[in-house]
Amino acid sequence: MTKKETPIIILNYKTYAESTGKNAVTLSQYVQEASDETGVNMAIAPQAVDLYPIIEAVDIPVYSQHMDNITPGGHTGSTLPEALKETGITGTLINHSEQRLTLADIDAIVEKSKQLNLTSVLCTNNVKTSAAAASFNPDYIAIEPPELIGTGIPVSKASPEVVEKTVEEIHKINNNIPVLCGAGISTGEDMKAALELGAEGVLLASGIIKADDQKQALIDLVSLI
Ligand code: G3P
């Protein structure tokens, strides 16, 4: 089945036990199967340490959760953009709520992603920061109100105005940046509501990762679109 570019689902593995190590590889296989069976574009963002085995095992877009604004040299404990590129990733999340960056770092990392031909997904927390983020010209902006992350209360239903206004403000600055939304998304209804508000996909985690049947949860997520 040919997959459309959007809507896109990006599953952020964070550091949940259910999406770490061997579980991360198994989950990635489920994501690939769900994507192939539904024809919906699904990507994943595992921990850096799990990238190599996952990229060997599946053929779906794989993102890193973060990259550091560093160049090769003395930066113990950091993650070098060039090293991430070498794993075969498609792109990277930038400035996730759980890994906030300075404006200067965001600017540098978006630019570095372009140089390395990596897709940049710049995360934001509200309408104002989303408008500011548009000036960096990333490939995607993902709005995630931090107070809803991990709650199971979907942003697309609890704060529809935030998603709608974010899309509007970003598109005033750059009409070509697709907007994703995330936080509390887990069901087909949540996903459908997100698309109706102008989002072109979702960034999500716990609703799928903690589900009893992760693959079925992904299939249900896209069942109404
Ligand atoms: O990056 C996705 C995320 O922060 C949302 O998490 O668990 O609310 O889907 P969750």
Side-chain angles (χ1 to χ4, degrees):
M1 194 184 293
T2 315
K3 290 177 203 164
K4 295 201 191 95
E5 196 61 29
T6 55
I8 184 172
I9 315 290
I10 304 180
L11 184 60
N12 180 358
Y13 286 14
K14 303 198 176 187
T15 53
Y16 288 109
E18 295 86 346
S19 51
T20 293
K22 288 193 178 66
N23 289 341
V25 177
T26 306
L27 174 57
S28 305
Q29 284 157 344
Y30 293 152
V31 178
Q32 166 133 34
E33 287 165 19
S35 177
D36 288 347
E37 287 169 26
T38 59
V40 177
N41 192 7
M42 295 184 188
I44 54 177
Q47 293 168 63
V49 72
D50 290 326
L51 289 172
Y52 264 120
I54 286 174
I55 288 169
E56 286 283 291
V58 295
D59 186 22
I60 50 175
V62 180
Y63 286 70
S64 62
Q65 296 178 2
H66 166 73
M67 59 170 59
D68 286 304
N69 177 23
I70 54 162
T71 51
H75 302 283
T76 305
S78 301
T79 309
L80 182 69
E82 287 80 358
L84 289 166
K85 172 74 184 178
E86 219 176 297
T87 65
I89 57 168
T90 301
T92 186
L93 306 184
I94 300 170
N95 193 47
H96 191 277
S97 272
E98 293 152 10
Q99 193 62 256
R100 282 284 180 237
L101 298 168
T102 64
L103 280 178
D105 282 338
I106 293 170
D107 184 22
I109 296 170
V110 171
E111 284 310 310
K112 176 60 85 173
S113 302
K114 291 184 203 296
Q115 280 165 27
L116 294 174
N117 199 22
L118 293 172
T119 302
S120 48
V121 180
L122 178 50
C123 303
T124 56
N125 59 323
N126 61 29
V127 178
K128 279 191 290 184
T129 58
S130 302
S135 67
F136 294 117
N137 200 22
D139 295 302
Y140 293 91
I141 293 175
I143 168 76
E144 296 194 318
E147 65 279 8
L148 296 177
I149 291 178
T151 60
I153 302 169
V155 60
S156 52
K157 293 233 177 116
S159 305
E161 69 293 345
V162 172
V163 180
E164 226 163 19
K165 191 80 185 138
T166 296
V167 173
E168 190 184 314
E169 291 301 316
I170 289 172
H171 287 171
K172 272 188 204 160
I173 296 162
N174 186 335
N175 203 26
N176 294 321
I177 303 176
V179 179
L180 312 180
C181 70
I185 304 275
S186 63
T187 69
E189 287 288 345
D190 305 343
M191 172 85 200
K192 184 166 173 259
L195 300 184
E196 284 169 356
L197 294 167
E200 293 184 53
V202 295
L203 177 59
L204 80 173
S206 53
I208 303 296
I209 292 167
K210 300 290 233 178
D212 291 338
D213 185 338
Q214 295 165 324
K215 179 179 163 185
Q216 191 56 48
L218 279 166
I219 291 173
D220 292 347
L221 181 73
V222 299
S223 61
L224 301 177
I225 59 173

